[in-house]
Amino acid sequence: MTQNVNHGVRFGRIAAMLPVKDMRRAHDFYTNVLGFTKTFENGSPVGFMILKRDQGELHLTLQPGHQAAKFNVAHMMVDDVDALFAVCQQYGLRIVKSLQDKDYGLRAFVFEDPDGNRIDVGQVI
């Protein structure tokens, strides 16, 4: 069922919230490996952090008992999926779905971050 709902509310940015067991390790991964920049943090110890790179934004939340989901929790669109796939391999990240051209028009793969969060990465073919 498709329905256009016009309730007068305009949506702005929507960012993925990723649970992490170790904020420092997650920060180091997303900044040193993927090139994000921390723009905000909250708490002592830090329990929440915002990271940005180009048009992408991720929110990290400290969840010491986090158990990773067995499904993708975020989707990133990039302009060079092959290069990011090579970075993931270089750093020994677990590749859940290998790099391939999809019939829906994306070249894509899925990797796990250090906390087991599955990230689907795609580039328009």
Side-chain angles (χ1 to χ4, degrees), residues 8 10 19 21 31-32 35-36 41 44 48 53 56 61 72 75 91 99 104 108-109 112-113 120:
R10 292 182 47 101
K21 291 181 184 179
T31 59
N32 297 333
F36 281 78
E41 69 179 26
S44 181
F48 176 76
R53 175 163 181 183
T61 180
N72 302 343
H75 180 73
Y91 283 92
L99 182 63
Y104 46 83
F109 73 99
E112 284 185 356
D113 75 2
D120 180 20

Side-chain angles (χ1 to χ4, degrees), residues 66-112:
H66 169 59
Q67 296 293 319
K70 300 295 182 200
F71 53 85
N72 302 343
V73 297
H75 180 73
M76 293 181 181
M77 292 297 293
V78 297
D79 65 1
D80 191 342
V81 72
D82 292 275
L84 186 55
F85 183 74
V87 167
C88 290
Q89 288 182 312
Q90 175 186 351
Y91 283 92
L93 299 176
R94 180 169 181 260
I95 304 299
V96 177
K97 291 186 181 178
S98 190
L99 182 63
Q100 56 187 281
D101 293 344
K102 302 293 189 175
D103 59 1
Y104 46 83
L106 291 182
R107 183 160 173 78
F109 73 99
V110 177
F111 74 92
E112 284 185 356

Side-chain angles (χ1 to χ4, degrees), residues 13-20 23 26 30 36 39-40 47-52 56-62 74 113 117:
R13 71 175 185 195
I14 297 175
M17 175 76 73
L18 299 180
V20 299
M23 189 63 77
Y30 282 102
F36 281 78
T39 61
F40 178 80
F48 176 76
M49 185 179 294
I50 297 175
L51 304 172
K52 292 186 180 182
E57 182 173 324
L58 292 173
H59 295 188
L60 305 180
T61 180
L62 183 61
D113 75 2
N117 295 307

